[in-house]
């Protein structure tokens, strides 16, 4: 069951990493055209180690490629936030900011994991995500407190993505088991750090967190939005057409 | 967007003890984003451990039309090169 908790983490990283990679060649300026794939590669690198580890813990011979390319939408266990479509630049930056504001303290806590692989992943991710917070935070501030248009777009992004925040702090049965065993940190424990990071940036950006009456959840049970299936069909198409192909 | 975003010159120090070297330029709205853009564009392969960014507009360059009067006069003054001294072996690499 522990391997499923690792899969949840790996899916979060791969799905968000793939979403970011969709910007490659399409970003509003060359500098961001490199910055977004840089962040994507950080996340995809993390997912690879976690998939490999999940496969070994599961003990049924599944490789990282089997995990990433041969599971259907319903088998994916990522939270809903990371699969949200890129939308405009404000949506992408805010989605990233929310995720890393949660994930950075999570990996910090995971430095003390009883599983050396998880502690190792955490050591690398803590540095990578510290930069993601800085980079996305600066953009959220500049767009939130920018022109009339950038402010409107960032407010739209806040309204669209706030409903996916609560799910970040929910633990599935698999995750709860790993948390109780000291293998993974408790998701709910990261709420205070998340709120502090977001409050700090939102204050500078002149943004307000809306009251969410109906938070969305279900990703950890494989219940996803309509976008994930499309994303996976593209991401998995080469491997499914030419199984095991290498170059 | 690029036409209204200021240009910055990027300098990277490859490692401690060496000086910052010009590596290129980037566009960014302000100095904070300029440093981040420089990091994202120019340090992806372990190129260095320190970055400077300078507004391109702050650089005053010599006039290419004056390169003759600026630089040619030094060409025949070989006595300015420290090649006429014997350096003791103990000094090592200078």
């Amino acid at each position: 069951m522990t391997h499923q908790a690792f899969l949840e983490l790996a899916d979060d990283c791969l799905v968000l990493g793939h979403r970011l990679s969709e910007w490659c060649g399409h970003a509003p300026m060359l500098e961001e055209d490199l910055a977004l794939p840089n962040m994507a590669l950080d996340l995809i690198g993390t997912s690879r180690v976690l998939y490999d580890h999940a496969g070994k813990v599961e003990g049924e011979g599944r490789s990282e490629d089997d995990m990433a390319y041969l599971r259907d939408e319903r088998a994916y266990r990522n939270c809903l936030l990371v699969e949200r479509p890129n939308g405009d630049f404000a949506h992408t930056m805010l989605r990233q900011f929310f995720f890393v504001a949660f994930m950075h303290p999570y990996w910090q806590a995971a430095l003390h994991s009883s599983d050396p692989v998880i502690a190792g992943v955490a050591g690398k991710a803590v540095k990578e995500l510290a930069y993601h917070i800085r980079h996305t935070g600066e953009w959220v501030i500049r767009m939130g407190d920018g022109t009339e248009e950038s402010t409107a777009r960032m407010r739209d992004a806040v309204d669209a993505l706030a409903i996916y925040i609560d799910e970040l702090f929910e633990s599935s049965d698999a995750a709860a088991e790993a948390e109780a065993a000291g293998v993974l940190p408790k998701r709910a424990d990261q709420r205070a750090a998340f709120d502090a990071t977001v409050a700090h940036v939102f204050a500078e950006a002149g943004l307000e967190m809306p009251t969410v009456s109906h938070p969305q959840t279900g990703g950890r049970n494989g219940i996803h939005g309509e976008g994930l299936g499309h994303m996976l069909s593209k991401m998995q198409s080469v491997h499914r057409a030419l199984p095991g192909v290498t170059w | 967007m690029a036409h209204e975003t200021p240009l910055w010159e990027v300098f990277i120090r490859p490692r401690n003890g060496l000086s910052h070297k010009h590596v290129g330029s980037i566009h960014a709205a302000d100095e904070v984003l300029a440093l981040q853009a420089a990091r994202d564009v120019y340090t992806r392969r372990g190129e260095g451990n320190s970055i400077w960014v300078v507004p391109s507009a702050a650089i005053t360059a010599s006039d290419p039309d004056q390169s003759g009067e600026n630089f040619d006069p030094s060409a025949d003054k070989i006595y300015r090169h420290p090649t006429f001294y014997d350096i003791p072996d103990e000094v090592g690499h200078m």
Side-chain angles (χ1 to χ4, degrees):
Chain A
M1 190 116 163
T2 312
H3 76 277
Q4 282 185 357
F6 295 158
L7 278 181
E8 292 177 9
L9 287 173
D11 288 346
D12 282 354
C13 293
L14 181 65
V15 170
L16 186 56
H18 189 81
R19 279 293 189 215
L20 289 175
S21 79
E22 291 172 350
W23 274 103
C24 192
H26 303 278
M29 59 204 291
L30 177 143
E31 289 77 1
E32 286 304 317
D33 211 73
L34 283 162
L36 293 162
N38 280 353
M39 292 194 285
L41 287 170
D42 288 340
L43 292 169
I44 293 168
T46 303
S47 77
R48 290 189 57 182
V49 180
L50 290 169
Y51 281 135
D52 181 71
H53 190 46
K56 284 176 180 146
V57 170
E58 181 189 42
E60 289 179 16
R62 287 204 285 176
S63 69
E64 54 175 289
D65 277 2
D66 294 334
M67 301 294 190
Y69 295 127
L70 296 178
R71 283 182 308 136
D72 290 321
E73 183 189 343
R74 290 296 298 268
Y76 264 77
R77 289 291 186 267
N78 57 278
C79 59
L80 298 174
L81 175 71
V82 297
E83 70 186 54
R84 298 310 301 156
N86 286 337
D88 61 14
F89 193 65
H91 275 73
T92 293
M93 279 296 158
L94 186 71
R95 180 186 63 195
Q96 189 73 13
F97 176 65
F98 279 165
F99 181 69
V100 293
F102 159 68
M103 214 55 206
H104 185 255
Y106 182 91
W107 285 129
Q108 273 181 322
L111 290 169
H112 312 293
S113 167
S114 58
D115 181 331
V117 175
I118 296 299
V121 167
K124 197 156 161 287
V126 160
K127 287 186 195 171
E128 292 170 343
L129 299 197
Y131 181 74
H132 294 202
I133 289 184
R134 258 172 61 207
H135 189 67
T136 57
E138 296 293 350
W139 273 113
V140 170
I141 290 167
R142 277 160 186 74
M143 284 189 278
D145 185 27
T147 64
E148 204 175 305
E149 173 159 14
S150 75
T151 303
R153 283 174 182 262
M154 189 47 81
R155 284 189 185 150
D156 282 351
V158 172
D159 288 340
L161 296 175
I163 56 175
Y164 301 104
I165 290 173
D166 283 357
E167 190 193 20
L168 294 171
F169 305 96
E170 289 175 6
S171 293
S172 64
D173 291 346
E177 201 175 288
E179 290 166 7
V183 175
L184 293 177
K186 250 182 105 122
R187 288 203 175 104
D189 288 350
Q190 318 312 322
R191 183 85 207 205
F194 173 90
D195 286 342
T197 303
V198 172
H200 175 72
V201 166
F202 271 33
E204 273 200 67
L207 294 166
E208 272 175 39
M209 191 63 89
T211 312
V212 175
S213 52
H214 296 90
Q216 300 295 297
T217 183
R220 305 295 183 203
N221 294 319
I223 312 296
H224 296 285
E226 69 283 4
L228 183 67
H230 292 282
M231 194 204 93
L232 290 180
S233 68
K234 206 177 267 184
M235 190 187 86
Q236 298 175 336
S237 62
V238 174
H239 194 87
R240 288 191 189 271
L242 304 161
V245 69
T246 57
W247 64 84
Chain B
M1 183 170 181
H3 67 277
E4 54 193 42
T5 308
L7 192 65
W8 303 72
E9 300 303 320
V10 180
F11 300 81
I12 307 251
R13 183 177 65 196
R15 54 179 196 273
N16 288 334
L18 298 182
S19 41
H20 287 71
K21 194 167 180 297
H22 185 242
V23 294
S25 53
I26 45 99
H27 289 95
D30 55 53
E31 67 275 14
V32 175
L33 290 184
L35 266 180
Q36 294 190 359
R39 179 262 188 195
D40 286 325
V41 175
Y42 291 111
T43 67
R44 294 166 3 113
R45 299 177 183 87
E47 284 90 338
N49 61 15
S50 172
I51 306 171
W52 288 349
V53 289
V54 178
S56 303
I59 291 178
T60 309
S62 62
D63 183 349
D65 289 342
Q66 296 173 337
S67 70
E69 61 202 68
N70 275 341
F71 308 119
D72 288 355
S74 69
D76 61 351
K77 298 181 175 64
I78 55 163
Y79 45 83
R80 287 180 179 162
H81 295 273
T83 52
F84 302 98
Y85 305 95
D86 290 326
I87 298 174
D89 290 343
E90 299 80 62
V91 173
H93 182 68
M94 261 185 87

